[in-house]
Amino acid sequence: MMVNNFLKLILLTIYALALAGLAGWLRDALADDAQVVALVILAFHALELPFVWMQVRRYPGPLATSVVLTLLFGLLHWMPLTRK
């Protein structure tokens, strides 16, 4: 569980760097790299979503929340749901 949270923190850091780049708070090269990495991660998670739909639906909260968490964290969100 601790590794899962650490990896989620890394993803949140990447997303924060991408947003900081969009706001103009980072140098152009770093901002561009962070935005590309964040976009690739989000695209991969979006492609992953239809294949793990049944696991995503197991989330005890609202389905929209589970979809957003899957888009942000991918298997770090839905994999623990398969163990329940």
Side-chain angles (χ1 to χ4, degrees):
M1 191 64 152
M2 195 166 163
V3 173
N4 194 3
N5 290 337
F6 179 70
L7 293 173
K8 285 182 181 181
L9 181 63
I10 290 173
L11 285 173
L12 288 175
T13 303
I14 292 169
Y15 299 143
L17 286 172
L19 289 174
L22 286 174
W25 298 338
L26 295 176
R27 291 180 296 129
D28 289 337
L30 180 59
D32 291 343
D33 291 345
Q35 291 167 12
V36 167
V37 170
L39 185 62
V40 168
I41 291 170
L42 289 171
F44 180 75
H45 291 165
L47 292 172
E48 174 184 30
L49 187 58
F51 297 103
V52 296
W53 185 251
M54 295 308 292
Q55 288 82 8
V56 170
R57 291 184 55 152
R58 291 182 181 186
Y59 184 68
L63 181 60
T65 302
S66 187
V67 168
V68 169
L69 289 172
T70 301
L71 290 175
L72 290 175
F73 302 119
L75 69 89
L76 298 176
H77 168 67
W78 62 260
M79 186 64 77
L81 297 174
T82 62
R83 296 184 189 129
K84 289 184 178 180

Coordinates of all heavy atoms in Angstrom, one line a residue:
M1 N 0.8 -1.2 0.0 CA 0.0 0.0 0.0 C 0.9 1.3 0.0 O 0.5 2.2 -0.6 CB -0.9 0.0 1.2 CG -2.0 1.0 1.2 SD -3.1 0.7 -0.2 CE -4.5 1.4 0.4
M2 N 2.0 1.2 0.7 CA 2.9 2.4 0.8 C 3.5 2.7 -0.6 O 3.6 3.8 -1.0 CB 4.0 2.1 1.8 CG 4.7 3.3 2.2 SD 5.6 2.9 3.7 CE 6.7 4.2 3.8
V3 N 3.8 1.6 -1.3 CA 4.4 1.8 -2.7 C 3.3 2.4 -3.6 O 3.6 3.4 -4.4 CB 4.9 0.5 -3.3 CG1 5.3 0.7 -4.7 CG2 6.1 0.0 -2.4
N4 N 2.1 2.0 -3.5 CA 1.0 2.5 -4.3 C 0.8 4.0 -4.0 O 0.7 4.8 -5.0 CB -0.3 1.8 -3.9 CG -1.4 2.0 -4.9 OD1 -1.2 2.7 -5.9 ND2 -2.5 1.4 -4.6
N5 N 0.9 4.4 -2.8 CA 0.7 5.8 -2.4 C 1.9 6.7 -2.9 O 1.8 7.8 -3.4 CB 0.6 6.0 -0.9 CG -0.8 5.5 -0.5 OD1 -1.7 5.5 -1.2 ND2 -0.9 5.2 0.8
F6 N 3.1 6.1 -2.9 CA 4.3 6.8 -3.4 C 4.2 7.0 -4.9 O 4.5 8.1 -5.4 CB 5.6 6.0 -3.0 CG 6.8 6.6 -3.5 CD1 7.3 7.8 -2.9 CD2 7.5 6.0 -4.6 CE1 8.5 8.4 -3.4 CE2 8.7 6.6 -5.0 CZ 9.2 7.8 -4.4
L7 N 3.8 6.0 -5.6 CA 3.6 6.1 -7.1 C 2.5 7.1 -7.4 O 2.6 7.9 -8.4 CB 3.3 4.8 -7.7 CG 4.5 3.8 -7.6 CD1 4.0 2.4 -8.1 CD2 5.6 4.2 -8.4
K8 N 1.4 7.2 -6.6 CA 0.4 8.2 -6.8 C 1.0 9.6 -6.6 O 0.7 10.5 -7.3 CB -0.8 8.0 -5.9 CG -1.7 6.8 -6.3 CD -2.8 6.7 -5.3 CE -3.7 5.5 -5.7 NZ -4.9 5.4 -4.8
L9 N 1.8 9.7 -5.6 CA 2.5 11.0 -5.3 C 3.4 11.4 -6.5 O 3.4 12.6 -6.9 CB 3.3 10.9 -4.1 CG 4.0 12.2 -3.6 CD1 3.0 13.3 -3.3 CD2 4.9 12.0 -2.4
I10 N 4.1 10.5 -7.1 CA 4.9 10.8 -8.3 C 4.0 11.3 -9.4 O 4.3 12.3 -10.1 CB 5.7 9.6 -8.7 CG1 6.8 9.3 -7.7 CG2 6.3 9.8 -10.1 CD1 7.6 8.1 -7.9
L11 N 2.9 10.6 -9.7 CA 2.0 11.0 -10.7 C 1.4 12.4 -10.5 O 1.3 13.3 -11.4 CB 0.8 10.0 -10.9 CG 1.2 8.7 -11.6 CD1 0.0 7.7 -11.5 CD2 1.6 9.0 -13.0
L12 N 1.0 12.7 -9.2 CA 0.5 14.0 -8.9 C 1.6 15.1 -9.1 O 1.3 16.2 -9.5 CB 0.0 14.0 -7.4 CG -1.3 13.3 -7.2 CD1 -1.6 13.3 -5.7 CD2 -2.5 13.9 -8.0
T13 N 2.8 14.8 -8.8 CA 3.9 15.7 -9.1 C 4.1 16.0 -10.6 O 4.3 17.2 -10.9 CB 5.2 15.1 -8.5 OG1 5.0 14.9 -7.1 CG2 6.4 16.1 -8.7
I14 N 4.0 15.0 -11.4 CA 4.0 15.2 -12.8 C 2.9 16.1 -13.3 O 3.1 17.0 -14.1 CB 4.0 13.8 -13.6 CG1 5.3 13.1 -13.3 CG2 3.8 14.0 -15.1 CD1 5.3 11.6 -13.7
Y15 N 1.7 15.8 -12.8 CA 0.5 16.6 -13.2 C 0.7 18.1 -12.7 O 0.4 19.0 -13.4 CB -0.8 16.1 -12.7 CG -1.1 14.7 -13.2 CD1 -1.7 13.7 -12.4 CD2 -0.8 14.3 -14.5 CE1 -2.0 12.5 -12.9 CE2 -1.1 13.0 -15.0 CZ -1.7 12.1 -14.1 OH -1.9 10.9 -14.6
A16 N 1.3 18.2 -11.5 CA 1.5 19.6 -10.9 C 2.5 20.3 -11.8 O 2.4 21.5 -12.0 CB 1.9 19.5 -9.5
L17 N 3.6 19.6 -12.2 CA 4.6 20.3 -13.0 C 4.0 20.7 -14.4 O 4.3 21.8 -14.9 CB 5.8 19.3 -13.2 CG 6.7 19.2 -12.1 CD1 7.7 18.1 -12.4 CD2 7.4 20.5 -11.8
A18 N 3.1 19.9 -14.9 CA 2.5 20.2 -16.2 C 1.6 21.4 -16.1 O 1.6 22.3 -16.9 CB 1.7 19.0 -16.7
L19 N 0.8 21.5 -15.0 CA 0.0 22.6 -14.7 C 0.8 23.9 -14.5 O 0.5 25.0 -14.9 CB -1.0 22.4 -13.6 CG -2.1 21.4 -13.8 CD1 -2.9 21.1 -12.6 CD2 -3.0 21.9 -14.9
A20 N 1.9 23.7 -13.7 CA 2.8 24.9 -13.5 C 3.4 25.4 -14.8 O 3.6 26.6 -15.0 CB 3.9 24.5 -12.5
G21 N 3.7 24.5 -15.7 CA 4.2 24.9 -17.0 C 3.2 25.6 -17.8 O 3.5 26.6 -18.5
L22 N 1.9 25.2 -17.7 CA 0.8 25.9 -18.4 C 0.6 27.3 -17.9 O 0.3 28.2 -18.6 CB -0.5 25.1 -18.3 CG -0.6 23.9 -19.2 CD1 -1.8 23.1 -18.9 CD2 -0.5 24.2 -20.7
A23 N 0.9 27.4 -16.6 CA 0.7 28.7 -15.9 C 1.9 29.7 -16.2 O 1.9 30.8 -15.8 CB 0.5 28.6 -14.4
G24 N 3.0 29.1 -16.7 CA 4.2 29.9 -17.0 C 5.2 30.0 -15.9 O 6.0 30.9 -15.9
W25 N 5.0 29.1 -14.9 CA 5.9 29.2 -13.8 C 7.2 28.3 -13.9 O 8.0 28.3 -13.1 CB 5.2 28.7 -12.5 CG 4.0 29.5 -12.2 CD1 3.8 30.8 -12.5 CD2 2.9 29.1 -11.4 NE1 2.6 31.2 -12.0 CE2 2.0 30.2 -11.3 CE3 2.5 27.9 -10.7 CZ2 0.8 30.2 -10.6 CZ3 1.3 27.9 -10.1 CH2 0.5 29.0 -10.0
L26 N 7.3 27.6 -15.1 CA 8.5 26.8 -15.3 C 9.2 27.3 -16.6 O 8.6 27.9 -17.5 CB 8.1 25.3 -15.5 CG 7.6 24.6 -14.3 CD1 7.2 23.2 -14.7 CD2 8.6 24.6 -13.2
R27 N 10.5 26.9 -16.8 CA 11.2 27.2 -18.0 C 10.5 26.4 -19.1 O 9.9 25.4 -18.9 CB 12.6 26.8 -17.9 CG 13.4 27.7 -16.9 CD 14.9 27.2 -16.9 NE 14.9 25.9 -16.3 CZ 15.6 24.9 -16.8 NH1 16.3 25.1 -17.9 NH2 15.6 23.7 -16.3
D28 N 10.6 26.9 -20.3 CA 9.9 26.4 -21.5 C 10.3 24.9 -21.7 O 9.4 24.1 -21.9 CB 10.3 27.1 -22.7 CG 9.6 28.5 -22.7 OD1 8.6 28.7 -22.0 OD2 10.1 29.4 -23.4
A29 N 11.5 24.5 -21.6 CA 11.9 23.1 -21.9 C 11.3 22.2 -20.9 O 10.8 21.1 -21.2 CB 13.4 23.0 -22.0
L30 N 11.4 22.5 -19.6 CA 10.9 21.7 -18.5 C 9.4 21.6 -18.6 O 8.8 20.6 -18.4 CB 11.3 22.2 -17.2 CG 10.9 21.4 -15.9 CD1 11.3 20.0 -16.0 CD2 11.3 22.1 -14.7
A31 N 8.8 22.8 -18.9 CA 7.3 22.8 -19.0 C 6.8 21.9 -20.1 O 5.9 21.2 -20.0 CB 6.8 24.3 -19.2
D32 N 7.5 22.0 -21.3 CA 7.1 21.2 -22.4 C 7.2 19.7 -22.1 O 6.4 18.9 -22.4 CB 7.9 21.5 -23.7 CG 7.6 22.9 -24.2 OD1 6.6 23.5 -23.9 OD2 8.5 23.4 -25.0
D33 N 8.3 19.3 -21.5 CA 8.6 17.9 -21.2 C 7.5 17.4 -20.2 O 7.0 16.3 -20.3 CB 10.0 17.7 -20.6 CG 11.1 17.9 -21.6 OD1 10.7 17.9 -22.8 OD2 12.2 18.1 -21.2
A34 N 7.2 18.2 -19.1 CA 6.2 17.8 -18.1 C 4.9 17.7 -18.8 O 4.1 16.7 -18.5 CB 6.2 18.8 -17.0
Q35 N 4.5 18.6 -19.7 CA 3.2 18.5 -20.3 C 3.1 17.3 -21.2 O 2.1 16.6 -21.3 CB 3.0 19.8 -21.1 CG 2.7 21.0 -20.2 CD 2.8 22.3 -20.9 OE1 2.8 22.3 -22.2 NE2 2.9 23.4 -20.2
V36 N 4.2 17.0 -22.0 CA 4.1 15.8 -22.8 C 4.0 14.5 -22.0 O 3.2 13.6 -22.3 CB 5.4 15.8 -23.7 CG1 5.5 14.4 -24.4 CG2 5.3 16.9 -24.8
V37 N 4.8 14.4 -20.9 CA 4.7 13.2 -20.1 C 3.3 13.1 -19.5 O 2.8 12.0 -19.5 CB 5.8 13.3 -19.0 CG1 5.6 12.2 -17.9 CG2 7.2 13.2 -19.6
A38 N 2.8 14.2 -19.0 CA 1.4 14.1 -18.4 C 0.4 13.7 -19.4 O -0.5 12.9 -19.1 CB 1.1 15.5 -17.7
L39 N 0.5 14.3 -20.6 CA -0.4 14.0 -21.7 C -0.4 12.5 -22.1 O -1.4 11.8 -22.3 CB -0.2 14.9 -22.9 CG -1.2 14.7 -24.0 CD1 -2.6 15.1 -23.6 CD2 -0.8 15.6 -25.2
V40 N 0.8 12.0 -22.2 CA 1.0 10.5 -22.5 C 0.4 9.6 -21.4 O -0.3 8.7 -21.7 CB 2.5 10.2 -22.7 CG1 2.7 8.7 -22.8 CG2 3.0 10.9 -24.0
I41 N 0.7 10.0 -20.2 CA 0.1 9.2 -19.1 C -1.4 9.2 -19.1 O -2.1 8.2 -19.0 CB 0.6 9.7 -17.7 CG1 2.1 9.4 -17.6 CG2 -0.1 9.1 -16.5 CD1 2.8 10.0 -16.4
L42 N -2.0 10.4 -19.2 CA -3.5 10.6 -19.3 C -4.1 9.8 -20.5 O -5.1 9.2 -20.3 CB -3.9 12.0 -19.3 CG -3.6 12.8 -18.0 CD1 -3.9 14.3 -18.2 CD2 -4.5 12.3 -16.9
A43 N -3.4 9.9 -21.6 CA -3.9 9.2 -22.8 C -3.8 7.7 -22.6 O -4.8 6.9 -22.9 CB -3.1 9.6 -24.0
F44 N -2.8 7.2 -22.0 CA -2.7 5.7 -21.7 C -3.8 5.3 -20.8 O -4.4 4.3 -21.0 CB -1.3 5.4 -21.2 CG -1.1 3.9 -20.9 CD1 -0.9 3.0 -21.9 CD2 -1.2 3.5 -19.6 CE1 -0.8 1.7 -21.6 CE2 -1.0 2.1 -19.3 CZ -0.8 1.2 -20.3
H45 N -4.0 6.1 -19.7 CA -5.1 5.7 -18.8 C -6.4 5.8 -19.4 O -7.3 5.0 -19.1 CB -5.0 6.6 -17.5 CG -3.8 6.4 -16.7 ND1 -3.3 7.2 -15.7 CD2 -2.9 5.3 -16.7 CE1 -2.3 6.7 -15.2 NE2 -2.0 5.6 -15.7
A46 N -6.6 6.7 -20.3 CA -7.9 6.8 -21.0 C -8.1 5.6 -21.9 O -9.2 5.1 -22.0 CB -8.0 8.1 -21.9
L47 N -7.1 5.1 -22.5 CA -7.1 3.9 -23.4 C -7.4 2.6 -22.5 O -8.0 1.7 -22.9 CB -5.9 3.7 -24.2 CG -5.7 4.7 -25.3 CD1 -4.3 4.6 -25.9 CD2 -6.8 4.6 -26.4
E48 N -6.9 2.7 -21.3 CA -7.0 1.6 -20.3 C -8.4 1.4 -19.8 O -8.8 0.3 -19.5 CB -6.0 1.9 -19.2 CG -6.0 0.9 -18.0 CD -5.0 1.4 -17.0 OE1 -4.8 2.6 -16.8 OE2 -4.5 0.5 -16.3
L49 N -9.1 2.5 -19.7 CA -10.4 2.6 -19.0 C -11.4 1.6 -19.6 O -12.0 0.8 -18.8 CB -11.0 4.0 -19.0 CG -12.2 4.3 -18.2 CD1 -12.0 3.9 -16.8 CD2 -12.6 5.7 -18.4
P50 N -11.6 1.5 -20.9 CA -12.6 0.5 -21.3 C -12.3 -0.9 -21.0 O -13.2 -1.8 -20.8 CB -12.6 0.7 -22.9 CG -12.0 2.0 -23.1 CD -11.1 2.3 -21.9
F51 N -11.0 -1.3 -20.9 CA -10.6 -2.6 -20.6 C -10.8 -3.1 -19.2 O -10.9 -4.2 -18.9 CB -9.2 -2.9 -21.1 CG -9.0 -2.7 -22.5 CD1 -8.4 -1.5 -23.0 CD2 -9.4 -3.7 -23.4 CE1 -8.2 -1.4 -24.4 CE2 -9.2 -3.5 -24.8 CZ -8.6 -2.4 -25.3
V52 N -10.9 -2.1 -18.3 CA -11.0 -2.4 -16.9 C -12.3 -1.8 -16.3 O -12.4 -1.6 -15.1 CB -9.8 -1.8 -16.1 CG1 -8.5 -2.5 -16.5 CG2 -9.6 -0.3 -16.2
W53 N -13.3 -1.6 -17.1 CA -14.5 -1.0 -16.7 C -15.2 -1.8 -15.6 O -15.7 -1.1 -14.7 CB -15.5 -0.9 -17.9 CG -16.7 -0.2 -17.6 CD1 -18.0 -0.8 -17.5 CD2 -16.9 1.2 -17.3 NE1 -18.9 0.2 -17.2 CE2 -18.2 1.4 -17.1 CE3 -16.0 2.2 -17.3 CZ2 -18.7 2.7 -16.8 CZ3 -16.5 3.5 -17.0 CH2 -17.8 3.7 -16.7
M54 N -15.2 -3.1 -15.6 CA -15.8 -3.8 -14.5 C -15.1 -3.6 -13.2 O -15.8 -3.5 -12.1 CB -15.9 -5.3 -14.8 CG -16.7 -5.7 -16.1 SD -18.4 -5.0 -16.0 CE -19.1 -5.9 -14.7
Q55 N -13.8 -3.5 -13.2 CA -13.1 -3.2 -11.9 C -13.4 -1.8 -11.5 O -13.5 -1.5 -10.3 CB -11.6 -3.4 -12.1 CG -11.2 -4.8 -12.2 CD -11.3 -5.4 -13.6 OE1 -11.7 -4.7 -14.5 NE2 -11.1 -6.7 -13.7
V56 N -13.5 -0.8 -12.4 CA -13.7 0.6 -12.1 C -15.1 0.7 -11.4 O -15.3 1.5 -10.5 CB -13.6 1.4 -13.3 CG1 -14.1 2.9 -13.1 CG2 -12.2 1.5 -13.8
R57 N -16.0 -0.1 -11.9 CA -17.4 0.0 -11.3 C -17.5 -0.6 -9.9 O -18.5 -0.3 -9.2 CB -18.4 -0.8 -12.2 CG -18.6 -0.1 -13.5 CD -19.6 -0.9 -14.3 NE -20.8 -1.0 -13.5 CZ -22.0 -1.1 -14.0 NH1 -22.2 -1.1 -15.3 NH2 -23.0 -1.2 -13.2
R58 N -16.5 -1.3 -9.4 CA -16.5 -1.8 -8.0 C -16.2 -0.8 -7.0 O -16.3 -1.0 -5.8 CB -15.4 -2.9 -7.9 CG -15.7 -4.1 -8.7 CD -14.6 -5.2 -8.4 NE -14.9 -6.4 -9.2 CZ -14.2 -7.5 -9.1 NH1 -13.2 -7.5 -8.2 NH2 -14.5 -8.5 -9.8
Y59 N -15.8 0.4 -7.4 CA -15.5 1.5 -6.4 C -16.7 1.8 -5.6 O -17.8 1.9 -6.2 CB -15.0 2.7 -7.2 CG -14.6 3.9 -6.4 CD1 -13.4 3.8 -5.6 CD2 -15.3 5.1 -6.3 CE1 -13.0 4.9 -4.8 CE2 -14.9 6.1 -5.5 CZ -13.7 6.0 -4.8 OH -13.3 7.1 -4.0
P60 N -16.6 1.9 -4.3 CA -17.8 2.1 -3.5 C -18.4 3.5 -3.6 O -19.6 3.6 -3.2 CB -17.3 1.9 -2.0 CG -15.8 2.1 -2.1 CD -15.4 1.7 -3.5
G61 N -17.7 4.4 -4.1 CA -18.3 5.8 -4.3 C -18.9 6.0 -5.6 O -19.2 5.0 -6.3
P62 N -19.1 7.2 -6.0 CA -19.8 7.5 -7.3 C -18.9 7.0 -8.5 O -17.7 7.1 -8.4 CB -19.9 9.0 -7.3 CG -19.7 9.5 -5.9 CD -18.9 8.4 -5.2
L63 N -19.6 6.6 -9.5 CA -18.9 6.1 -10.7 C -18.0 7.2 -11.3 O -16.9 6.9 -11.8 CB -19.9 5.5 -11.7 CG -19.3 4.9 -13.0 CD1 -18.3 3.8 -12.7 CD2 -20.4 4.5 -13.9
A64 N -18.5 8.4 -11.4 CA -17.7 9.5 -12.0 C -16.4 9.7 -11.2 O -15.3 9.9 -11.8 CB -18.5 10.8 -12.0
T65 N -16.4 9.6 -9.9 CA -15.2 9.7 -9.1 C -14.2 8.6 -9.5 O -13.0 8.8 -9.6 CB -15.5 9.6 -7.6 OG1 -16.4 10.7 -7.3 CG2 -14.3 9.7 -6.8
S66 N -14.7 7.4 -9.6 CA -13.8 6.2 -10.0 C -13.2 6.4 -11.4 O -12.1 6.1 -11.6 CB -14.6 4.9 -9.9 OG -13.8 3.8 -10.1
V67 N -14.0 7.0 -12.3 CA -13.5 7.2 -13.6 C -12.4 8.3 -13.6 O -11.3 8.1 -14.2 CB -14.6 7.7 -14.6 CG1 -14.1 8.2 -15.9 CG2 -15.6 6.5 -14.9
V68 N -12.6 9.3 -12.9 CA -11.5 10.4 -12.7 C -10.3 9.8 -12.1 O -9.2 10.1 -12.5 CB -12.1 11.6 -12.0 CG1 -11.0 12.6 -11.6 CG2 -13.1 12.3 -12.8
L69 N -10.5 9.0 -11.0 CA -9.3 8.4 -10.4 C -8.6 7.5 -11.3 O -7.3 7.4 -11.3 CB -9.7 7.7 -9.1 CG -10.2 8.6 -7.9 CD1 -10.8 7.8 -6.8 CD2 -9.0 9.5 -7.4
T70 N -9.3 6.8 -12.1 CA -8.7 5.9 -13.1 C -7.9 6.7 -14.1 O -6.8 6.3 -14.5 CB -9.7 4.9 -13.7 OG1 -10.4 4.2 -12.7 CG2 -9.1 4.0 -14.7
L71 N -8.5 7.8 -14.6 CA -7.8 8.6 -15.6 C -6.5 9.2 -15.0 O -5.5 9.3 -15.7 CB -8.7 9.7 -16.1 CG -9.8 9.3 -17.0 CD1 -10.7 10.5 -17.3 CD2 -9.3 8.6 -18.2
L72 N -6.5 9.5 -13.7 CA -5.3 10.1 -13.1 C -4.3 9.0 -12.7 O -3.1 9.3 -12.9 CB -5.8 10.9 -11.8 CG -6.5 12.2 -12.0 CD1 -6.9 12.8 -10.7 CD2 -5.7 13.2 -12.8
F73 N -4.8 7.9 -12.1 CA -3.8 7.0 -11.5 C -3.8 5.6 -12.2 O -2.9 4.8 -11.9 CB -4.2 6.8 -10.1 CG -4.1 8.0 -9.3 CD1 -5.2 8.5 -8.6 CD2 -3.0 8.8 -9.2 CE1 -5.2 9.7 -7.9 CE2 -2.9 9.9 -8.4 CZ -4.0 10.4 -7.8
G74 N -4.7 5.3 -13.1 CA -4.7 4.0 -13.8 C -4.8 2.9 -12.9 O -5.6 2.8 -12.0
L75 N -3.9 1.9 -13.1 CA -4.0 0.7 -12.4 C -3.7 0.9 -10.9 O -4.1 0.0 -10.1 CB -3.0 -0.4 -12.9 CG -1.5 -0.2 -12.8 CD1 -1.0 -0.8 -11.5 CD2 -0.9 -0.9 -14.0
L76 N -3.1 2.0 -10.5 CA -2.9 2.3 -9.1 C -4.3 2.5 -8.4 O -4.4 2.3 -7.2 CB -2.0 3.5 -8.9 CG -0.6 3.4 -9.4 CD1 0.1 4.7 -9.3 CD2 0.1 2.3 -8.8
H77 N -5.3 2.8 -9.2 CA -6.6 3.0 -8.6 C -7.4 1.7 -8.7 O -8.0 1.2 -7.7 CB -7.4 4.1 -9.3 CG -8.9 4.1 -9.0 ND1 -9.3 4.4 -7.7 CD2 -10.0 3.8 -9.7 CE1 -10.6 4.3 -7.7 NE2 -11.0 4.0 -8.9
W78 N -7.5 1.1 -9.9 CA -8.4 0.0 -10.1 C -7.8 -1.4 -9.6 O -8.6 -2.3 -9.3 CB -8.9 -0.1 -11.5 CG -7.9 -0.4 -12.6 CD1 -7.3 0.5 -13.4 CD2 -7.3 -1.6 -12.9 NE1 -6.4 -0.1 -14.2 CE2 -6.4 -1.4 -14.0 CE3 -7.5 -2.9 -12.5 CZ2 -5.7 -2.4 -14.6 CZ3 -6.8 -4.0 -13.1 CH2 -5.9 -3.7 -14.1
M79 N -6.5 -1.5 -9.6 CA -6.0 -2.8 -9.1 C -6.4 -3.2 -7.7 O -6.8 -4.4 -7.5 CB -4.5 -2.8 -9.3 CG -3.8 -4.2 -9.0 SD -4.3 -5.5 -10.1 CE -3.3 -5.1 -11.5
P80 N -6.3 -2.3 -6.7 CA -6.8 -2.7 -5.4 C -8.3 -3.0 -5.4 O -8.7 -3.8 -4.5 CB -6.5 -1.4 -4.6 CG -5.4 -0.7 -5.3 CD -5.7 -1.0 -6.7
L81 N -9.1 -2.5 -6.3 CA -10.5 -2.8 -6.3 C -10.7 -4.3 -6.7 O -11.7 -4.9 -6.4 CB -11.2 -1.9 -7.3 CG -11.2 -0.4 -7.0 CD1 -11.9 0.4 -8.1 CD2 -11.9 -0.2 -5.7
T82 N -9.8 -4.9 -7.5 CA -9.9 -6.3 -7.9 C -9.7 -7.2 -6.7 O -10.2 -8.4 -6.8 CB -9.0 -6.7 -9.0 OG1 -7.6 -6.5 -8.6 CG2 -9.2 -5.8 -10.2
R83 N -9.0 -6.8 -5.7 CA -8.7 -7.6 -4.6 C -9.9 -7.7 -3.6 O -9.8 -8.4 -2.6 CB -7.5 -7.1 -3.9 CG -6.2 -7.2 -4.8 CD -5.0 -6.8 -4.0 NE -3.9 -6.7 -5.0 CZ -3.1 -5.7 -5.1 NH1 -3.2 -4.6 -4.3 NH2 -2.1 -5.6 -5.9
K84 N -10.9 -6.8 -3.7 CA -12.0 -6.8 -2.8 C -13.0 -7.9 -3.1 O -13.2 -8.2 -4.2 CB -12.7 -5.4 -2.8 CG -11.8 -4.4 -2.2 CD -12.5 -3.0 -2.2 CE -11.7 -2.0 -1.5 NZ -12.3 -0.7 -1.5

